[in-house]
Amino acid sequence: MSPSSSRIRNIFEPLEPSYVADLWNSRFGISLSVFLGYLFFRKAQSVWAVNDNCLPRISYEAIGMRIMNLKDRPWKPTTSALQVFGRHATKNVIHLDSINAMIFLEGKTLVIESNCEPGYVVVFYRGEVLGCGLYSHGKLVSQIPKERRMASVVENGACEDQ
Amino acid sequence: MDPLQRYREIIPNFDQFQRVQSLPLPPTARINTLKMDEPRLLERLDEEGIGYKTFSWYPLGLKLDVESPGKLLENLLGYIHIQEELSMVPPLVLGPRPGERVLDLCASPGSKTCQISQMMENKGLIIANEPSLARVTPLRSNCERLGVMNVAITRYDGRNFPNVPFDRVLVDAPCSSEGRERKGPGVMARSNCKRSLDLQALQIDLLKNALRLARSGGVVVYSTCTYAPEENELVVESVLDRARLEKISIPGLKDCPGITDWNGVHLDDDLQLSSRYYPHLNNTGGFYVAKLVKN
């Protein structure tokens, strides 16, 4: 199936796992085997991953986790997906110290030297993945979603349960 | 009149209940084992000097000694999830196992959905249904932050969810939320018997559909966060021709049996197998939980 067909019809279309795994392998050096056991779907410009299972034929609003956006070049991984798959990355990773980690989590830009290729990187702190950053020309721009930033939680309490 | 007065006869130590009902709730959280194991999480909290106390009845539940638990790094990274203590009960009663197919019929904001996911170790399939598009946003956001990979979200009217068989179904029904008064005062102002009866029609239809969708021998858990018998025992009684109640037992968490008399009417004796949780018994909110096994 052509990866572009779901752009016209706004529905979930199955994607070959190797299509997704190759992209992640090429950018982050993540072993292809990490993506075994998942099903992948494309809806408009987004790619979704779900634990491999028999999905009943009904109408879905979301299938598993949105893991990447194909809208722009290069494709962009979501912070949620990096927190699941990113720890297996062997390249294009940046490790932060505690002060820079907090600045990154506030959604700000850091001036930092790295030998990463320009583009999206996996940002680590104390061996744990914080999320997605955009690196180029000595700058790391935080891609942490607004509702998950350190300073913005007060305005975004809506996700808490009773 | 205080709408709670009509419960004077069924709630033990009613005056103490009323006193506790007006106190704010202590912040609580669940450890998200999809991303972080319990010893490592507790070690982190110790290192950062964050005070906590583990629930006596659930090792993954924590009372936190912080003002804004939502701001904790551990919450932002999805290692913990801010969740009311009693809200962790229905998934435990549901008892999902890895590999099963589970329906969460009224899922948003997804705290229980995500707890079910961690109980299933991210294996099998949970369908989280939420008709309101606005309420799908927090549901999705919570699932993604907590690293959930086995949930698909649908937006059906729960009364007409299509005929797909499930091993277990959770009906955490829309209700008058009287048990949430401690979380956000103001709930009681809208609460009265008439409103409960209006909700009852919806709750019965949801529970009946849940029982239609469960496989024979499958488990259906019905829960609300209200005290109103019209929304609890009277809803469950309407399906006892197609399912049997099973006793709920959670060691360390005090409960009262479901009531069998209300407004001069005797109800099915089996309803005492369901559980009522009151604020003054465990210093929590309020909840009602019934475990049904489909015939």
Side-chain angles (χ1 to χ4, degrees), chain A residues 75-126:
Chain A
W75 60 273
K76 181 182 180 181
T78 64
T79 277
S80 301
L82 288 182
Q83 289 178 354
V84 174
F85 302 113
R87 66 193 154 91
H88 302 287
T90 54
K91 62 176 182 177
N92 291 319
V93 304
I94 290 181
H95 293 266
L96 298 179
D97 61 24
S98 60
I99 292 171
N100 280 339
M102 294 310 130
I103 295 170
F104 178 81
L105 285 169
E106 286 170 12
K108 294 179 181 153
T109 297
L110 294 165
V111 176
I112 205 161
E113 276 313 311
S114 164
N115 53 8
C116 287
E117 299 154 1
Y120 294 110
V121 295
V122 191
V123 178
F124 283 80
Y125 168 56
R126 297 206 315 186

Side-chain angles (χ1 to χ4, degrees), chain B:
Chain B
M1 190 180 111
D2 177 1
L4 291 174
Q5 283 298 332
R6 68 192 192 102
Y7 306 137
R8 185 172 276 280
E9 296 304 313
I10 59 169
I11 298 181
N13 301 321
F14 188 79
D15 294 335
Q16 193 198 353
F17 160 76
Q18 274 197 307
R19 267 198 307 281
V20 175
Q21 173 86 352
S22 63
L23 301 174
L25 262 185
T28 53
R30 170 173 52 81
I31 300 172
N32 176 31
T33 54
L34 293 177
K35 281 192 163 180
M36 178 65 68
D37 58 49
E38 181 194 339
R40 264 168 69 215
L41 190 276
L42 298 182
E43 201 176 301
R44 282 181 70 115
L45 296 181
D46 288 336
E47 267 177 33
E48 291 165 38
I50 298 164
Y52 63 87
K53 194 164 173 268
T54 304
F55 297 171
S56 58
W57 59 276
Y58 186 42
L60 300 179
L62 302 175
K63 284 191 163 73
L64 293 171
D65 187 16
V66 287
E67 272 189 23
S68 307
K71 279 187 190 174
L72 292 176
L73 178 61
E74 285 71 17
N75 185 53
L76 295 170
L77 293 178
Y79 301 160
I80 60 169
H81 178 65
I82 311 303
Q83 184 175 353
E84 207 268 300
E85 180 163 354
L86 290 180
S87 154
M88 301 179 209
V89 171
L92 292 185
V93 175
L94 189 69
R97 299 190 198 117
E100 289 185 329
R101 187 192 281 172
V102 175
L103 173 62
D104 186 352
L105 197 57
C106 318
S108 188
S111 298
K112 298 178 191 76
T113 314
C114 296
Q115 188 181 353
I116 292 168
S117 171
Q118 79 177 36
M119 290 174 77
M120 292 167 70
E121 297 164 13
N122 245 343
K123 301 285 191 317
L125 178 68
I126 303 162
I127 294 187
N129 186 64
E130 174 51 57
S132 152
L133 184 60
R135 285 171 59 82
V136 164
T137 304
L139 171 61
R140 258 194 64 194
S141 160
N142 279 326
C143 286
E144 296 198 340
R145 181 176 51 89
L146 298 175
V148 168
M149 300 298 292
N150 63 341
V151 167
I153 298 174
T154 57
R155 281 189 55 215
Y156 290 98
D157 179 329
R159 294 169 288 192
N160 303 313
F161 192 94
N163 201 2
V164 172
F166 289 93
D167 298 301
R168 295 168 204 268
V169 184
L170 174 63
V171 185
D172 186 46
C175 70
S176 55
S177 308
E178 294 166 347
R180 293 192 61 179
E181 175 73 3
R182 296 185 67 187
K183 174 88 180 177
V187 171
M188 295 313 303
R190 292 187 296 142
S191 181
N192 56 57
C193 181
K194 162 84 170 57
R195 181 150 187 271
S196 289
L197 285 170
D198 287 346
L199 285 161
Q200 184 189 66
L202 169 64
Q203 292 157 341
I204 288 176
D205 285 349
L206 289 170
L207 183 54
K208 282 186 172 168
N209 198 31
L211 278 160
R212 185 178 67 95
L213 298 168
R215 62 167 171 79
S216 180
V219 173
V220 173
V221 169
Y222 177 79
S223 60
T224 72
C225 54
T226 194
Y227 310 115
E230 295 83 1
E231 301 180 56
N232 295 329
E233 285 87 349
L234 288 168
V235 171
V236 173
E237 190 180 45
S238 75
V239 299
L240 291 180
D241 58 338
R242 63 200 78 183
R244 64 181 167 82
L245 278 161
E246 239 179 43
K247 173 99 184 113
I248 294 167
S249 170
I250 298 181
L253 187 67
K254 293 179 195 139
D255 67 334
C256 290
I259 60 167
T260 51
D261 287 287
W262 177 243
N263 279 351
V265 178
H266 186 69
L267 310 175
D268 195 303
D269 282 331
D270 277 355
L271 287 165
Q272 60 188 310
L273 297 171
S274 60
S275 288
R276 291 180 154 260
Y277 299 93
Y278 295 123
H280 57 311
L281 298 185
N282 305 287
N283 192 19
T284 58
F287 246 81
Y288 172 81
V289 185
K291 180 180 183 182
L292 293 150
V293 179
K294 184 177 172 178
N295 294 339

Side-chain angles (χ1 to χ4, degrees), chain A residues 22-23 28 42 53 58 60-61 65 71 75 85 93-94 110 112 117-118 120-121 123 134 137-138 143 145 156:
Chain A
D22 286 346
L23 288 174
F28 299 114
R42 178 170 181 162
N53 220 288
I58 54 178
Y60 293 101
E61 181 71 23
M65 176 185 283
K71 188 175 167 193
W75 60 273
F85 302 113
V93 304
I94 290 181
L110 294 165
I112 205 161
E117 299 154 1
Y120 294 110
V121 295
V123 178
L134 177 59
H137 301 102
Q143 306 292 306
N156 280 284

